[in-house]
Amino acid sequence: MGARRIPAVQAAVEIMKDEGADTVFGCPGAALLPLYAAMERTGGIAHLSAGHAEGAAHMADGWARTTGRAGVVAVAAEPGAVRLLSGLYAARQDAVPLVCVTGREASAPPAPAIPLRHAGYRPPDLVRLAGAVAKRAERIEDPARIPGAFREAFRIAREGRPGPVLIDIPADLAGVEIVCGPGPVAPSAPGAGPALVDGVWSPAPGAVLPLSAPADPAGTGAHWALAELAELLGGGSSADTYVVSGLPEASASRPGASCPGTARRHRVPRRNGPPGWEVPTAIGVRKALDSRGERAAEVVVVVDGRGFPLTAGELAAAAQYEVPFVVVLLGGAEGADPFTDPVKLAEAYGCAGRDVLDPADLRSAVEWARKEAVSTRRPVLVEVRAERAADAYDGLPADPVHTRAYGT
């Protein structure tokens, strides 16, 4: 095939597809219309719309951890796009390869030096802001540069210690036709394993890890719930289980015990994740499993109750795009947020939920949630409010300050 004359952004989309991206996670905006149009023309790449930019980054992060390929994020460069930085920082800390595309409405000459109070609307300078948390952040000023920038972005995201790369593209340049060579360049080789697990490199994407709970001699705190969950998720199923959680875990099985059949337990942890990262990350993990035909595998989120409300809105995206998983919320009567009912919140987003007020009911509630997630193809929430599950994270006393201190 000879040289072709195509829109610059279409060349970028062909490179994304070449690099193994089958889903783009992002926030829609007018500046991204050329990208969407190119994706429609090319085919083979789906778009999942997140509630906000941070959630999109965590979704791509979960997808990348599960596939071993670079995840793709696309966000319009609007004020809310600044939230993207939290997701990029987390990916950089955990060595997860991401390629982030930010769409800008139009290229423009530098703004005149006028007092800020007299200035009109200006989109955030994401290239400058992301420079501190990304491996590279580049603003495109020549449409002919777009294909090369994308190919380099995937290479840089993977090589050495993996991490995020950001490309900022004005919409008017994205649609400009350029002359492309006879065919795409061979994609860069995938990394050996992007995620950090408990402070050491994972031997491979989706490494098998023991599911556990630390010893709790006093029999109090959330450790009883973690131990019971570990035992419950460790057996009774022939399908793989992916546990997305930042809570401490250790071996759940007795010495010599093993999962039935060929089932394996995978842990998707976080080194320095912001509060609430678990739900959007689980969406990315689930989409990756579905895209490679592992619909029987299950995804379970085990999350502290204080961080859950921050990104709970992404449950709406999971319901819309039929992304099923189980969320086990460890709260407790003493540490619960008096202004938020997680079960009603989940129901408001079109998902099912159930309270656990008696420790004896945890097993039956989780089993119900696992079946409900499969039948509805939506997330299902189990909120553990039994007294022994209080203070899931660090034993902070239940007072108004700690109740709202999501970042601690």
Side-chain angles (χ1 to χ4, degrees):
M1 182 185 295
R4 299 174 299 158
R5 191 170 186 84
I6 59 175
V9 73
Q10 184 171 337
V13 169
E14 291 178 2
I15 289 171
M16 287 161 48
K17 187 175 179 179
D18 216 26
E19 295 283 352
D22 59 24
T23 305
V24 171
F25 304 89
C27 299
L32 292 175
L33 289 178
L35 177 66
Y36 300 151
M39 289 169 56
E40 182 71 21
R41 286 193 300 269
T42 305
I45 302 180
H47 180 266
L48 194 153
S49 179
H52 59 66
E54 180 185 339
H58 293 319
M59 291 176 192
D61 184 306
W63 185 94
R65 288 169 181 264
T66 309
T67 63
R69 303 192 294 269
V72 180
V73 188
V75 176
E78 298 172 349
V82 175
R83 290 181 173 183
L84 179 70
L85 300 179
S86 294
L88 296 184
Y89 173 78
R92 184 68 181 268
Q93 289 294 303
D94 282 5
V96 177
L98 296 182
V99 173
C100 178
V101 183
T102 56
R104 192 166 298 277
E105 287 191 1
S107 56
I114 60 175
L116 185 60
R117 64 181 181 275
H118 297 308
Y121 166 73
R122 295 179 187 174
D125 188 347
L126 293 173
V127 172
R128 181 176 62 84
L129 294 173
V133 296
K135 294 183 70 176
R136 172 186 280 188
E138 177 182 359
R139 176 173 290 115
I140 301 298
E141 298 178 350
D142 179 359
R145 167 69 183 143
I146 290 178
F150 269 75
R151 187 66 76 185
E152 289 174 13
F154 280 93
R155 176 182 59 79
I156 293 170
R158 287 195 180 112
E159 71 179 4
R161 190 175 190 275
V165 176
L166 182 140
I167 304 173
D168 185 76
I169 305 177
D172 57 337
L173 298 186
V176 173
E177 289 192 347
I178 61 172
V179 176
C180 283
V185 183
S188 53
L196 282 171
V197 178
D198 295 334
V200 296
W201 288 103
S202 167
V208 180
L209 298 169
L211 181 67
S212 74
D216 182 24
T220 59
H223 300 163
W224 73 271
L226 285 172
E228 188 164 346
L229 279 171
E231 181 181 352
L232 182 59
L233 300 177
S237 173
S238 58
D240 286 7
T241 299
Y242 290 75
V243 181
V244 181
S245 179
L247 296 176
E249 294 175 321
S251 178
S253 304
R254 291 186 294 275
S258 61
C259 292
T262 59
R264 302 189 302 170
R265 297 183 299 272
H266 308 257
R267 182 170 176 241
V268 184
R270 229 337 153 204
R271 196 179 187 190
N272 289 301
W277 63 271
E278 295 92 343
V279 166
T281 300
I283 293 175
V285 173
R286 178 75 265 172
K287 290 297 292 183
L289 293 172
D290 287 349
S291 68
R292 66 188 191 196
E294 298 183 32
R295 292 173 69 89
E298 67 174 351
V299 178
V300 179
V301 174
V302 183
V303 60
D304 171 65
R306 287 174 295 174
F308 169 74
L310 298 183
T311 56
E314 300 302 351
L315 290 175
Q320 177 184 355
Y321 293 98
E322 297 185 337
V323 184
F325 52 89
V326 175
V327 180
V328 180
L329 184 62
L330 300 179
E334 295 179 3
D337 183 347
F339 302 103
T340 304
D341 185 328
V343 172
K344 290 183 179 179
L345 186 61
E347 292 173 347
Y349 290 123
C351 306
R354 179 178 292 184
D355 287 332
V356 174
L357 302 178
D358 184 339
D361 295 333
L362 176 61
R363 181 176 294 267
S364 62
V366 172
E367 291 291 2
W368 165 82
R370 296 166 91 171
K371 295 176 182 177
E372 189 76 6
V374 171
S375 63
T376 63
R377 298 297 299 175
R378 293 185 176 191
V380 180
L381 174 73
V382 174
E383 183 191 12
V384 182
R385 296 174 58 193
E387 186 174 350
R388 286 196 298 161
D391 304 330
Y393 232 75
D394 49 18
L396 292 172
D399 58 48
V401 172
H402 290 127
T403 296
R404 307 298 292 180
Y406 297 121
T408 58

